Amino acid sequence: MSEAVISPVRIGRLSIGALGVLALALGTLQSVVEPALPLLQRELGVSPAEGALVANTLLVTGAVITPVAGKLGDRYGGKRVLIRLMAVVSAGGLLAGLAPDLPVLLLGQVLQGVMVGALPLSFILVREHLPSGESQVAIGVVVALFTGGGMVGTAVAGPIAEGLSWHWMFALPTLAIIAATLVVTRLMPHDPPIHADSRIDWPGVVLLSGTLLTFMVGLVTVTSAGLEPGEVGAVAVVVAALATGWVVVERRAASPMVDLRMLAKPAMWNACVLTFFITISSGMVLLMLPQLFAVSADGGYGFGADTTDIGLFLLPGAVAGALSDSVGGVAARRFGPRAVVVAGGVITATTMIALAALHTEAWQLVLAKVLTAFAAGVATTALLAGTATAVEARDTGIATGLLVVTRVIGVALGAQIGGAILAAGADSATGRPTESAFGTGFAVAGVVAAMSLLVVRITKKGAQA
């Protein structure tokens, strides 16, 4: 019997567990680079800017491939595409584990970057084989384990790299991914592909990928090397032109990559806008807190923490973020995504505005990280789970893929804004950010979080009208 005629069947805890373990292993592989960047720079003999390429390459690839993977999963079946995607990730992880130099390591990171596409593919399988309420909870569990993998990778990267070698910090998670993929292949039933007479909208795929690639490369360049105003304007023009071309192509395509009518639905575009504002604030916090921990206390602020101490300070926030992802699906089912977003926005805005005035004790920063990580995780996961069950089943992959990309872009943009604020407020003599720059950055992050409340208010009035 062919896969096309297999009827969907209900999946059990073992299948969900297998997806969760796979997400955990993927999150671990994704996060091992950041804490080990100084070591990689020494071992490979590269500059900090070249070392940053290792982390940024994965980010760019993930943003570009995710909506494409989601669309292919909708069309050909989530399990089929997921298994093929994991083969690419595994090849990238093994290549990075054997890499003799930076170019080979970067190639491995390019291949590993497609792992972000595993999330919408997992959501397709969950949506296909579980009732709506249970699927929201399961989506939260998968996202939580992916985030939890990030904690594992951050914690084990240093010991593995120093005890064995940096090659093993890529190889060991990759072996876990291979094993988990084999279990998923065995336990997860096939989801039937969608029968369609028309071909894949490849012009739409190319234009959307080009738009995201240009935007992310431009964003990474601005963050790492800086661009002149004219160059920034040129990048913006190219992105706008590609995006406009994509919209024109999608409106005329017989079977568009993204149904623009789906994007016009309130559940979809509201979720994208809200996710964008929430993750911008999260990205600012993600960049500024470690910077403040690292600043020397000689100037009357800062804590002079080293890499190990910073990791310990941020660990409670990482745990809170993982827990919040698992709670987000449950909260969306019980209270609805809108109520969860309001609660998360209030907590984040209040916390960041308070932190702008009170940031002289380490516990204040640790508590702020815990609160904002939990609030943002609950809100974005609730939006993701709500959207996954609000759109048509055939659009689950592309809809959630676009939301995942929105999260990536929001965090990256927030980090850039935070970095720009700190750079603008740097002391001319020492070159380090002043205390007032941190205060301004925290206040701006709070205002951005509060804007999500305004978006909720406006969209609520529109819905009532």
Side-chain angles (χ1 to χ4, degrees):
M1 182 180 295
S2 65
E3 292 179 9
V5 296
I6 295 178
S7 301
V9 296
R10 183 182 178 88
I11 57 177
R13 292 181 179 179
L14 285 178
S15 298
I16 296 296
L19 281 177
V21 171
L22 179 59
L24 183 70
L26 290 170
T28 302
L29 181 61
Q30 182 191 42
S31 62
V32 294
V33 168
E34 185 176 358
L37 268 180
L39 184 146
L40 288 173
Q41 290 164 203
R42 292 195 304 269
E43 292 284 335
L44 297 173
V46 299
S47 67
E50 292 173 317
L53 284 174
V54 180
N56 291 333
T57 298
L58 189 147
L59 186 70
V60 171
T61 305
V64 172
I65 200 66
T66 300
V68 178
K71 183 62 178 180
L72 294 176
D74 287 331
R75 181 70 174 269
Y76 298 112
K79 179 181 177 180
R80 177 185 297 179
V81 179
L82 177 65
I83 292 171
R84 285 159 175 76
L85 210 66
M86 290 305 96
V88 176
V89 174
S90 299
L94 294 176
L95 186 63
L98 298 171
D101 51 31
L102 180 62
V104 178
L105 178 59
L106 288 176
L107 178 58
Q109 288 294 96
V110 168
L111 298 178
Q112 289 176 52
V114 306
M115 72 172 67
V116 185
L119 288 177
L121 296 172
S122 299
F123 303 154
I124 291 172
L125 292 171
V126 169
R127 170 75 188 272
E128 182 69 30
H129 298 294
L130 288 177
S132 176
E134 293 183 25
S135 64
Q136 289 183 338
V137 176
I139 286 171
V141 170
V142 171
V143 176
L145 287 170
F146 186 81
T147 305
M151 293 189 322
V152 174
T154 301
V156 304
I160 291 176
E162 294 172 0
L164 299 173
S165 77
W166 64 265
H167 296 87
W168 282 102
M169 72 182 191
F170 294 105
L172 291 178
T174 301
L175 294 176
I177 289 171
I178 294 172
T181 301
L182 292 174
V183 176
V184 169
T185 303
R186 176 72 175 174
L187 296 180
M188 182 65 64
H190 283 284
D191 52 315
I194 295 174
H195 295 283
D197 298 329
S198 56
R199 299 178 180 177
I200 287 287
D201 173 29
W202 290 114
V205 170
V206 171
L207 284 170
L208 179 59
S209 300
T211 302
L212 293 171
L213 180 62
T214 304
F215 179 82
M216 291 301 296
V217 170
L219 194 60
V220 167
T221 305
V222 169
T223 304
S224 59
L227 292 176
E228 296 296 327
E231 295 172 321
V232 174
V235 172
V237 169
V238 173
V239 171
L242 288 170
T244 302
W246 174 69
V247 171
V248 171
V249 167
E250 296 303 90
R251 293 185 65 174
R252 296 179 178 179
S255 179
M257 177 189 179
V258 179
D259 188 344
L260 298 181
R261 292 171 298 179
M262 178 196 70
L263 286 181
K265 292 181 178 179
M268 186 66 209
W269 69 265
N270 287 355
C272 285
V273 173
L274 288 169
T275 298
F276 187 61
F277 280 109
I278 293 168
T279 51
I280 287 178
S281 181
S282 297
M284 295 181 69
V285 175
L286 191 66
L287 179 127
M288 290 188 295
L289 283 185
Q291 298 291 332
L292 183 52
F293 278 127
V295 169
S296 172
D298 295 341
Y301 68 101
F303 303 90
D306 59 21
T307 303
T308 301
D309 290 335
I310 292 174
L312 291 175
F313 283 138
L314 297 179
L315 184 59
V319 173
L323 291 175
S324 69
D325 288 330
S326 62
V327 172
V330 178
R333 178 183 182 183
R334 185 177 181 116
F335 303 109
R338 187 184 297 271
V340 178
V341 169
V342 169
V346 169
I347 293 172
T348 302
T350 303
T351 301
M352 296 315 299
I353 292 173
L355 191 62
L358 301 172
H359 48 259
T360 56
E361 300 291 337
W363 68 264
Q364 295 168 343
L365 275 66
V366 172
L367 179 60
K369 176 63 175 177
V370 168
L371 291 175
T372 55
F374 187 85
V378 169
T380 55
T381 303
L383 289 168
L384 193 60
T387 302
T389 53
V391 300
E392 297 291 335
R394 66 176 182 271
D395 293 325
T396 301
I398 186 62
T400 55
L402 291 173
L403 273 183
V404 170
V405 169
T406 302
R407 292 176 69 161
V408 172
I409 292 175
V411 170
L413 183 58
Q416 179 190 335
I417 293 172
I421 292 173
L422 296 184
D427 184 272
S428 57
T430 64
R432 71 183 187 185
T434 61
E435 184 178 8
S436 61
F438 283 104
T440 300
F442 293 140
V444 171
V447 171
V448 172
M451 290 177 69
S452 66
L453 302 176
L454 181 61
V455 173
V456 171
R457 179 69 174 171
I458 293 173
T459 55
K460 183 178 180 181
K461 287 184 177 180
Q464 291 174 343

